[in-house]
Amino acid sequence: LAQGLMLPGPARIPVTSPLRPRLVLRRRSPSCWTASHRSWMGQNLKSCVLRDHVANGDRMNWLDAYAEPRDPGAHVVPYGVLGNSSISAGVGAVAPEPDDNMAFLDPAGMHHIQGGPGGASGASGAIYKWLGIDEDESFPPDVVEAITAPCMAKYHAYGSKHCIHVVGADFRVQDVSRQEAVEMLTEAYGNALMEFCASGKRILRLLPISGGIFSGPWGKNPAWFSQMTAEALERAWESLPPKEQLSVKESKLEMCVFMLEQVPHFERAFQRIEPSGDSRHRRCSLSFLTRGQRRNPPVSFLP
């Protein structure tokens, strides 16, 4: 759409958006368009149209080209923390299994932390089997002592395997608003990031805390829960002390999504829609797009 404004064509170019009234630009001769005009118009139109389509739930081809990762820069990957996925369940089937330079999250249940890893299922059960503790009667004492309530986390090294146990909220039994749910997730991710900084590792494999069966009503729509996860992780990073913020920012973070059908939702949620550049380019020009009473505004009003 934006590129069409720069190419020879009809004298009148309709600009439509699903959330705004129809607007028609009367284009002058292509020779009147300066480089600054083209850049300004292109950035604003791409930003506005992209934002509208994302708000409508449409997947845009521009997403990868004009969006930036949200802080702290976690990248969504189509495999779980053990390098497997919903269609390739073997450890390391999709990506290498965690090594000595990497830490990863365990979405532990509170009853298992206090009662022992035996009997755990799902992601935690696979992790405990890989760690070799699936038949142990209890977790290490430092883990049991550190995690006494939901949203708490503790790092522990099992030989060369570095695990951060974190207990998320169980939204099946907690009737909370979206804001309250994001605050709880923020606390859990914040504690997990602090433990990651204490581990001294430079690579962290994250996963959706309180995901799966623990997501309750929020998990019925993957788009909702993925957006809540992205917001919580960003807020958690912002709440860290400056030293820890820098440490996390300079590390490699992967948001591991085990269920492949949920990957597109997390990819969209973990992208910042506004394009980079100065504030004039980042801001969608609402004054321009809402001039419904102004018929055929000429391009001369551009800066």
Side-chain angles (χ1 to χ4, degrees):
L1 173 62
Q3 292 176 354
L5 294 173
M6 320 311 168
L7 300 175
R12 293 165 62 86
I13 302 176
V15 180
T16 60
S17 174
L19 300 184
R20 298 183 177 86
R22 181 180 176 88
L23 179 67
V24 178
L25 294 181
R26 185 182 300 278
R27 189 179 62 182
R28 298 178 180 178
S29 170
S31 61
C32 75
W33 287 81
T34 65
S36 61
H37 287 168
R38 297 182 184 187
S39 174
W40 185 88
M41 177 65 81
Q43 290 284 1
N44 275 275
L45 286 175
K46 290 172 184 177
S47 175
C48 293
V49 176
L50 177 60
R51 187 182 64 181
D52 288 349
H53 280 268
V54 170
N56 289 343
D58 299 330
R59 182 167 176 80
M60 299 291 294
N61 292 332
W62 289 336
L63 187 59
D64 295 332
Y66 295 99
E68 299 176 344
R70 301 179 66 152
D71 289 329
H75 296 276
V76 177
V77 294
Y79 49 81
V81 296
L82 298 182
N84 52 358
S85 72
S86 57
I87 62 174
S88 301
V91 174
V94 181
E97 60 186 61
D99 55 26
D100 189 41
N101 298 316
M102 180 187 302
F104 61 92
L105 295 192
D106 159 40
M110 192 69 222
H111 56 292
H112 286 300
I113 292 294
Q114 299 299 323
S121 59
S124 292
I127 290 173
Y128 302 155
K129 183 177 180 180
W130 183 72
L131 291 175
I133 62 173
D134 55 317
E135 297 182 358
D136 291 357
E137 295 182 357
S138 62
F139 280 94
D142 59 328
V143 175
V144 178
E145 294 174 2
I147 301 178
T148 57
C151 303
M152 303 184 73
K154 179 60 179 177
Y155 161 74
H156 187 86
Y158 297 87
S160 60
K161 302 174 181 179
H162 305 274
C163 179
I164 299 175
H165 302 284
V166 55
V167 175
D170 188 349
F171 295 124
R172 297 174 299 177
V173 297
Q174 293 184 336
D175 185 14
V176 295
S177 65
R178 184 187 187 281
Q179 180 179 354
E180 293 171 332
V182 171
E183 290 176 353
M184 299 175 74
L185 293 174
T186 299
E187 181 181 358
Y189 280 111
N191 290 329
L193 292 178
M194 287 295 294
E195 292 297 313
F196 171 64
C197 294
S199 72
K201 303 302 173 182
R202 307 301 295 174
I203 305 175
L204 174 61
R205 283 185 176 177
L206 298 153
L207 47 69
I209 298 176
S210 297
I213 61 174
F214 298 109
S215 59
W218 306 112
K220 294 180 180 179
N221 188 332
W224 296 347
F225 191 72
S226 60
Q227 185 65 34
M228 293 167 60
T229 300
E231 290 180 19
L233 181 60
E234 187 171 36
R235 294 183 185 182
W237 176 79
E238 292 173 349
S239 68
L240 297 178
K243 181 180 178 181
E244 281 70 19
Q245 278 190 357
L246 180 61
S247 177
V248 172
K249 192 74 171 179
E250 293 178 345
S251 302
K252 179 181 178 181
L253 273 60
E254 296 180 345
M255 175 54 68
C256 300
V257 181
F258 181 80
M259 303 300 294
L260 295 186
E261 63 270 18
Q262 298 180 5
V263 171
H265 298 287
F266 279 89
E267 286 179 336
R268 187 179 301 123
F270 274 77
Q271 294 288 343
R272 188 182 304 282
I273 301 305
E274 297 175 346
S276 60
D278 58 43
S279 60
R280 180 179 63 176
H281 290 174
R282 288 197 306 267
R283 185 177 61 253
C284 183
S285 181
L286 294 179
S287 61
F288 161 65
L289 288 174
T290 55
R291 292 177 181 174
Q293 294 75 21
R294 184 172 183 174
R295 296 188 59 188
N296 304 334
V299 296
S300 58
F301 77 91
L302 295 173

